[in-house]
Amino acid sequence: MEGQAEYGFIVNLDAQGSGLLSDSEKPDMRARLYEVSGKAFEQAGIRAPRLYQEDRGDGILSILTSTVAPKRVVGEWLEYLHQNLRESNDRARVPLRLRVGMHIGPVTADAHGRSGRAVDLACRLGDCDTAKAVLELAPQAALVAVASDRLYEEVVRPGGRWVEPEHYAGREVKLKEGPQTAWFMVPGLPQPPLPEPGKPSVGPSGPAPAAPAAPEAAPGRVINNHNHGSGEIINSERIETINIGRSAHPGSER
């Protein structure tokens, strides 16, 4: 009902690297995005009116009613999506790579679409830097799934048909709502390749380049200061050795 929050399963799909595509390439990306995800919902037996979708340009927001078993989404639907994506990429010049943010919670409907904190969280999880970095660190993978902590604890951890909690890895991520625990899974890998904490973010073309090394300083000169507090000021020169009260040459002490 419009204006009344109802419990639902939120799935937010985002295409990795879509901002690098030209206007002529985007229609093909979008067609393939709808093809692989829509076919996966059909294969899992999930369709309208239990499935609501909003177009997000380079992604799709899907809301599933409470009558859809959550395990069917994290199990069957994810596996079908993975296999459909592999098949689609086998015949494509540019591979389609997806990030899937997933959460469960109350969703409010109005004339313009669906909203709620649960929707925001699902979208943030799929779009977080760690999710993007995981795909960059797994160049042969085409999909990373990111489950909220609540979804992992209530649905993933107990396991089930095609639900393998041992393939998930948790990591704290920083979102606009504050720190959140997210659970990452890359189909086909025993564990997702999470970036090392504190390492630079990974960009579209690989790890961020290291900062250029500082230019090598010119050899220092030796300063002999025989007068403590003499007020001598040395400007713009690297000092390698300061001899106070002694000669710069061994054996010639005063």
Side-chain angles (χ1 to χ4, degrees):
M1 294 177 60
E2 186 171 326
Q4 182 175 334
E6 294 186 356
Y7 188 90
F9 192 117
I10 305 103
V11 176
N12 189 68
L13 273 175
D14 267 321
Q16 180 98 334
S18 60
L20 302 177
L21 299 176
S22 65
D23 285 348
S24 61
E25 293 172 317
K26 285 183 180 291
D28 178 67
M29 178 274 291
R30 285 171 47 79
R32 293 174 59 206
L33 173 64
Y34 273 92
E35 177 190 8
V36 298
S37 62
K39 184 179 178 182
F41 279 123
E42 282 289 333
Q43 290 168 313
I46 304 170
R47 55 185 66 90
R50 297 190 299 166
L51 170 64
Y52 166 85
Q53 292 187 304
E54 285 182 19
D55 184 84
R56 294 296 178 98
D58 59 353
I60 306 170
L61 173 66
S62 300
I63 311 292
L64 288 64
T65 66
S66 59
T67 58
V68 176
K71 284 189 187 296
R72 180 176 293 184
V73 185
V74 297
E76 296 177 40
W77 180 78
L78 264 182
E79 181 58 28
Y80 286 133
L81 177 64
H82 172 223
Q83 297 301 333
N84 295 343
L85 197 51
R86 289 181 60 191
E87 182 181 348
S88 176
N89 284 341
D90 283 344
R91 59 177 188 268
R93 184 178 62 85
V94 179
L96 177 62
R97 312 182 75 208
L98 302 177
R99 304 186 307 274
V100 185
M102 303 181 295
H103 185 41
I104 47 178
V107 178
T108 301
D110 59 29
H112 306 287
R114 302 293 186 270
S115 64
R117 291 176 60 86
V119 175
D120 294 342
L121 181 56
C123 295
R124 302 257 198 267
L125 289 173
D127 195 45
C128 72
D129 289 341
T130 304
K132 296 174 183 177
V134 166
L135 274 188
E136 291 295 340
L137 293 170
Q140 302 305 315
L143 176 66
V144 58
V146 191
S148 67
D149 192 44
R150 178 182 178 184
L151 178 62
Y152 178 82
E153 292 295 334
E154 295 182 8
V155 180
V156 176
R157 184 186 287 277
R161 176 176 165 83
W162 298 348
V163 181
E164 300 170 308
E166 66 274 14
H167 292 172
Y168 284 74
R171 170 66 63 85
E172 183 177 277
V173 296
K174 295 181 180 179
L175 308 177
K176 289 185 178 180
E177 293 80 2
Q180 298 279 343
T181 298
W183 292 86
F184 299 84
M185 189 272 288
V186 175
L189 296 183
Q191 283 281 287
L194 295 175
E196 294 182 35
K199 290 290 183 180
S201 298
V202 180
S205 55
E216 187 175 348
R221 65 184 177 90
V222 177
I223 301 297
N224 297 311
N225 184 357
H226 302 288
N227 184 4
H228 290 267
S230 65
E232 179 184 1
I233 298 175
I234 303 166
N235 247 342
S236 304
E237 294 192 57
R238 174 173 170 268
I239 302 173
E240 190 173 80
T241 308
I242 300 180
N243 297 311
I244 300 177
R246 67 174 66 184
S247 168
H249 304 287
S252 57
E253 294 182 358
R254 296 185 179 183

